[in-house]
Amino acid sequence: MKKGEGQASGDAASRLIDQRILDLGDWRGEALARMRKLILEAVPEMTEEWKWGTPVWSHNGIVTTGEAYTKVAKLTFIKGARVPDPTGIFNSSLEGNARRAIDIREGEKVDASAFKALVKAAAALNSAPKKKATPVAKKAVAAKKAPAARKQSAVKKAAKPSGAKAKKR
């Protein structure tokens, strides 16, 4: 399957990931295989998926994706900005509000225990109960929407002249 084609999960996804690693046939494939092994050791319940032509590891939502570029093998954590990183293992996409990534260059090794801790924390974040909006937060959202709603209703009123009745034909 070519990059960008189809989606799969379970055994079918695992076979596609195996094939991707073989197709790379160089240090990037080796790096991806090593990180995959650590991901599955860290969270044995992790689900392997194939989306967007890329390996994806999920546990109650996407945890990380594994991509291979010319000069790096990259693991992108979808909610990485919210995952504690005491060892500073994230080294890419640091400026965003959501994602964080780990770029692995040829010859580089990633600290296995620090990486596993990161994977566990990211999976736990996906499993955490979602916070419900408080009444105060709901009012704040409604207040932000209100000016736009008023502007829209003013436009509608302008389209129909007040007091004018439609003529019947």
Side-chain angles (χ1 to χ4, degrees):
M1 184 173 287
K2 291 183 181 181
K3 188 171 178 150
E5 290 182 3
Q7 293 186 10
S9 62
D11 290 339
S14 294
R15 286 190 298 275
L16 289 167
I17 294 169
D18 290 340
Q19 189 60 53
R20 176 72 171 142
I21 290 167
L22 286 172
D23 289 347
L24 287 168
D26 60 10
W27 65 269
R28 297 170 302 161
E30 292 169 8
L32 195 56
R34 184 174 60 253
M35 304 317 288
R36 175 193 198 187
K37 181 177 184 267
L38 294 175
I39 289 167
L40 297 175
E41 286 175 4
V43 181
E45 305 84 25
M46 191 76 71
T47 300
E48 290 193 311
E49 299 178 287
W50 184 265
K51 294 182 179 184
W52 316 290
T54 297
V56 175
W57 291 274
S58 298
H59 188 290
N60 297 319
I62 296 174
V63 173
T64 188
T65 62
E67 305 105 47
Y69 299 100
T70 305
K71 295 187 179 192
V72 297
K74 179 184 281 287
L75 291 144
T76 302
F77 287 74
I78 304 306
K79 296 179 183 175
R82 295 176 44 204
V83 176
D85 182 19
T87 61
I89 197 168
F90 286 129
N91 62 8
S92 182
S93 304
L94 301 175
E95 59 285 333
N97 293 331
R99 294 183 303 240
R100 294 286 182 270
I102 301 168
D103 284 354
I104 305 166
R105 289 171 176 71
E106 187 172 7
E108 288 182 340
K109 300 287 184 206
V110 174
D111 180 317
S113 61
F115 181 75
K116 284 181 177 183
L118 207 64
V119 170
K120 287 178 185 178
L125 184 63
N126 280 353
S127 299
K130 306 283 187 260
K131 291 183 181 177
K132 290 187 178 181
T134 63
V136 173
K138 287 180 182 177
K139 285 181 183 177
V141 169
K144 280 185 177 179
K145 290 182 179 178
R150 282 195 297 269
K151 189 176 184 180
Q152 227 176 12
S153 64
V155 171
K156 286 181 184 176
K157 287 178 186 174
K160 293 182 183 177
S162 61
K165 292 185 180 180
K167 292 183 182 179
K168 290 186 180 178
R169 293 184 185 221

